[in-house]
Every structure is written in C-alpha cells, then in structure tokens.
Amino acid sequence: MRINCPICGDRDRREYYYQGAAVTLDRPAPDAEEAVWEDYLHLRENPAGRTRDLWHHEGGCGAWVVVTRDTVSHKIFEVALAADVKGAAR
Amino acid sequence: MGELQAARPWAERLDVSIGRSALVEVDLGHLTVLAPFGAEAGMTEALSAAHGLGFPKPNRATGKDGGRCIWFGRGEALLIGPAPDASLADHGASVDVLDAWAAVSLSGAAAVDVLARLVPVDLREGAFKRGHSIRTQVMHMSASITRTGKDSFLILVFRSMAGTLSHDLKQAMAAVAARG
Ligand SMILES: [Zn+2]
C-alpha cells in the first residue's frame, strides 16, 4: 500500500502512522450534549468500503493527512493535508 | 565553566570501505533548523542576503559542501555549515540542533544499491538527482537523505541512533559486496 503525500510524493505505507477515523477533525463544541461527546469519543463506523482516516507521515515530512480509501479494494481515492481539510469551510 | 569539547556521535572515527561503497562520518559544522513564521518570503530573502543560499522547496536542497540548506520536513529547512546569521531569527525559528543529529556520507558505485536495502524510496539517479533531499526512513530510523553527487549521499539520523545507522549501513554494504 502506498500513500501519495501532498508534500513528499508517493511513499510506502511503512512511513506512515495510522491514527484512525477522521471524525476526530470534527470535535464537538465544549458544551455539546453528552450523547454527542460519547459518539465522538467512542463510537466508530466499521465500513466495508469507503472510509476516511487520519494518517501521520511520521517517517517523512511530519504532516497529518486525511486519506479517503476503500477498505475492501484498498484503492486510495484522495490524500489531503489535514490542515487544509480542517481549514476549509465545512 | 571549563572548556567544552564537542562530542562526536561515534566513539571511534567511522571510516569504512566495503566493496564498491564507502562510509565516513562527516563534520558538517553548524546545524540550524529554520522554520519560517507563515510565509517563506522573508526567510528566503534573509537567507540569500546572509548566506547566498535559497530556501529549499520540499524534497530539494540548495548550496553545496560547506554551505547547504536542505528541506527538512513540513515548513522546515536545515542550514548546514555556516553559523546562522542573526537576521534569520527575524523571519522564523532559528534553532541550533548540532547535538541532535549524526551525519554520514555514503559514496561509491554501489551506494545506491546499499540504500535500496534500507530505504523505502527510489533513490536511483533517474528519480533522485543531485540537489534532491528527502525525509524518509533508514530501516526504522527517521532520516534525511540528500544526493550530493553522482554516487554520493548525505545521510542524517537522530544522534542517539548513530550506532544503529553505522551497523545497518555496514551490514547492507557487506551484503551488496557479497553479491559481487
Ligand atoms: Zn509527507
């Protein structure tokens, strides 16, 4: 598996650290309801198909990237800098 | 305080040739991480005025032996050689990291084959030319690799990993040499 870092270019998966579902980019407001926080902290989808997760290019430039990929085919659709995703209007 | 002496990364001077590759430790002079605050323009100008060097784009290096600036990760470059001019600190962080890194030069016709055993990036000349510089891994070590010549590479790892770096490189050099 190879991930095309927006900064470094196409790199082997072993240069990356896998963090988990990219839902952590959408942190609830501090005063959000308990159920919202519970969902954010503990409940994750486990899709057979398209998923979106955070990887850290620790063996490269050090950037966090958001990878959209298919867990069945291993196809990677998109790799974006988390800073850009987070900064963009949602 | 008494006179302080710089400690070298290896207890004994690293200088070994195996087959068609040679490994030597290199004393690079000053090592300074430059991290521009926001836009790179100010740092680029100051670096050019003070040291005659360009601020490198990702995966690139500027300068040559004695004065070099290599891309060193997202938003960072490493100034190698000269003591950093005070003006650089007006445009970003300028941090002395001389005691944090160990540096070697790997050269010779087989150098690229040696690195192919340890590094998950294509470093052959067609893909990785003189003036290219990347952050990657040597085995499990976080590293910086720069092509400094047709058959020569500058490799940096964290200084605490110096022994592992020389061990892994020597082992790969011997393995490549054994294949003839
Ligand atoms: Zn990267």
Side-chain angles (χ1 to χ4, degrees):
Chain A
M1 179 171 162
R2 294 178 69 81
I3 297 174
N4 195 359
C5 172
I7 295 175
C8 302
D10 199 30
R11 294 297 182 87
D12 194 273
R13 177 254 175 277
R14 86 190 86 160
E15 287 190 0
Y16 293 85
Y17 165 78
Y18 174 73
Q19 199 267 344
V23 294
T24 48
L25 290 175
D26 300 316
R27 191 183 171 86
D31 57 355
E33 280 174 42
E34 228 170 77
V36 174
W37 273 101
E38 188 196 358
D39 185 35
Y40 170 75
L41 286 171
H42 304 297
L43 303 180
R44 293 289 178 267
E45 300 297 328
N46 184 19
R50 196 178 274 247
T51 187
R52 198 168 158 266
D53 31 46
L54 275 170
W55 296 71
H56 182 218
H57 197 190
E58 63 171 353
C61 63
W64 283 94
V65 292
V66 180
V67 178
T68 309
R69 66 189 175 97
D70 192 304
T71 58
V72 178
S73 68
H74 299 300
K75 183 175 166 55
I76 292 178
F77 303 103
E78 193 193 355
V79 185
L81 288 178
D84 293 344
V85 173
K86 185 79 178 162
R90 309 185 66 83
Chain B
M1 202 196 293
E3 188 77 1
L4 295 180
Q5 265 199 312
R8 302 240 296 266
W10 292 271
E12 288 181 10
R13 185 172 160 71
L14 182 64
D15 185 352
V16 55
S17 284
I18 305 175
R20 294 179 299 134
S21 59
L23 175 67
V24 285
E25 68 175 275
V26 280
D27 181 352
L28 295 170
H30 290 269
L31 292 181
T32 310
V33 163
L34 303 174
F37 300 141
E40 280 168 17
M43 182 66 87
T44 301
E45 240 168 72
L47 192 61
S48 168
H51 300 290
L53 291 168
F55 191 84
K57 299 260 177 294
N59 303 321
R60 293 291 182 273
T62 61
K64 52 186 192 301
D65 286 353
R68 210 186 282 282
C69 194
I70 65 176
W71 179 76
F72 215 49
R74 182 169 174 244
E76 282 182 26
L78 183 71
L79 177 62
I80 299 175
D85 192 78
S87 66
L88 300 179
D90 295 337
H91 305 282
S94 170
V95 184
D96 179 358
V97 294
L98 177 57
D99 61 355
W101 295 86
V104 298
S105 161
L106 180 70
S107 61
V112 74
D113 297 330
V114 171
L115 289 176
R117 288 175 175 248
L118 305 173
V119 179
V121 178
D122 185 358
L123 297 178
R124 290 173 298 177
E125 215 173 3
F128 191 69
K129 301 175 168 58
R130 192 191 308 229
H132 287 199
S133 182
I134 52 167
R135 291 300 305 265
T136 181
Q137 290 176 325
V138 175
M139 292 292 274
H140 297 283
M141 289 173 284
S142 184
S144 156
I145 301 179
T146 305
R147 185 187 278 272
T148 52
K150 186 181 179 324
D151 287 325
S152 55
F153 299 88
L154 173 67
I155 305 165
L156 282 82
V157 298
F158 295 136
R159 186 176 273 231
S160 59
M161 303 283 163
T164 308
L165 178 70
S166 55
H167 173 264
D168 287 351
L169 281 172
K170 281 190 266 188
Q171 207 162 47
M173 289 162 77
V176 169
R179 291 182 63 90

